[in-house]
């Protein structure tokens, strides 16, 4: 049973994405567990932030358990980073739609994610190497998740905005780092 738990946590993260999005489209005054929301942005956004935080926590937990129990699987190697990207990209698209973050910055984040995913696929195809996340990429992911949470709970002291721009910096830096360290994939190409 424990062998499957990390992958189940990854799938739970994917299934939380539509729940997270739906919270933004519940009409004002919607009932949520007997509570009537009068201020959509302060109540529903906080609930969405909680769902996002729980989903983000499963990112750490599934990796931790898979390594601890030595149950790293090909499905996990594929689905875990995909689930992270889906969760974060959906959150950023929602934030662009709500005019909370600028579209140009989210476009940079999305383009980097697509480029690095393509690089990972080339590396696997050419040598069977699964490119592990380096520290700049881990910082990027952590600041992405934290910025989303703070932006949804009201951006106290502009913490969410600061983390968002730190995330944009590490998005660019980690993307450069991945490509700089793996240029051989292009030299070896047909």
């Amino acid at each position: 049973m424990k062998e499957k738990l990390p992958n189940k946590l990854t799938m739970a993260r994917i299934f939380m994405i539509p729940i997270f999005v739906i919270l933004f489209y519940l009409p004002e005054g919607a009932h949520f567990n007997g509570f009537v929301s009068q201020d959509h942005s302060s109540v529903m956004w906080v609930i969405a932030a909680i769902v996002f935080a729980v989903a983000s926590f499963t990112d750490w937990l599934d990796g931790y358990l898979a390594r601890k129990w030595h149950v790293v699987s090909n499905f996990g190697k594929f689905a875990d980073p995909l689930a992270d990207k889906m969760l974060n990209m959906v959150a950023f698209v929602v934030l662009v739609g709500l005019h909370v973050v600028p579209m140009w910055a989210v476009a940079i984040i999305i383009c980097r994610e697509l480029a690095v995913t393509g690089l990972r696929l080339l590396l696997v195809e050419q040598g069977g190497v699964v490119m592990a996340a380096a520290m700049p990429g881990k910082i990027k992911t952590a600041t992405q998740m934290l910025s989303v949470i703070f932006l949804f709970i009201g951006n106290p002291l502009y913490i969410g905005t600061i983390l968002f721009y730190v995330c944009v910096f590490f998005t660019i830096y980690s993307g450069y780092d991945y490509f700089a360290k793996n240029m051989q994939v292009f030299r070896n190409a047909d």
Side-chain angles (χ1 to χ4, degrees), residues 9-179:
L9 288 170
T10 297
M11 292 306 297
R13 183 161 63 258
I14 292 170
F15 288 122
M16 282 188 248
I17 295 169
I19 295 167
F20 168 74
V21 173
I22 288 169
L23 290 170
F24 292 99
Y25 296 100
L26 289 176
E28 289 192 34
H31 291 273
F32 192 82
N33 287 341
F35 182 79
V36 179
S37 166
Q38 298 303 321
D39 183 357
H40 178 49
S41 64
S42 66
V43 174
M44 299 315 288
W45 287 24
V46 169
I47 294 169
I50 291 167
V51 170
F52 184 89
V54 169
S56 297
F57 177 71
T58 68
D59 174 36
W60 173 82
L61 185 60
D62 65 11
Y64 171 78
L65 293 176
R67 287 184 300 275
K68 180 180 178 184
W69 294 337
H70 305 288
V71 292
V72 176
S73 67
N74 285 335
F75 176 80
K77 290 178 190 176
F78 165 77
D80 181 60
L82 181 64
D84 300 341
K85 287 173 184 19
M86 290 167 55
L87 177 66
N88 286 309
M89 296 312 100
V90 166
F92 284 135
V93 168
V94 168
L95 287 167
V96 166
L98 297 169
H99 306 289
V100 175
V101 295
M103 183 174 56
W104 64 265
V106 172
I108 289 171
I109 293 168
I110 291 172
C111 288
R112 181 267 187 209
E113 297 297 350
L114 292 172
V116 169
T117 298
L119 177 62
R120 287 176 189 267
L121 291 172
L122 283 174
L123 287 167
V124 168
E125 181 182 278
Q126 287 190 5
V129 177
V130 176
M131 186 173 64
M135 188 52 66
K138 291 179 181 185
I139 294 169
K140 179 231 14 136
T141 300
T143 56
Q144 279 181 346
M145 291 177 172
L146 289 171
S147 70
V148 168
I149 293 166
F150 280 102
L151 289 168
F152 283 129
I153 63 170
N155 200 12
L157 303 173
Y158 297 100
I159 294 170
T161 301
I162 293 165
L163 286 169
F164 177 75
Y165 286 106
V166 169
C167 147
V168 172
F169 170 80
F170 277 99
T171 294
I172 296 166
Y173 177 74
S174 65
Y176 168 79
D177 186 52
Y178 282 130
F179 277 89

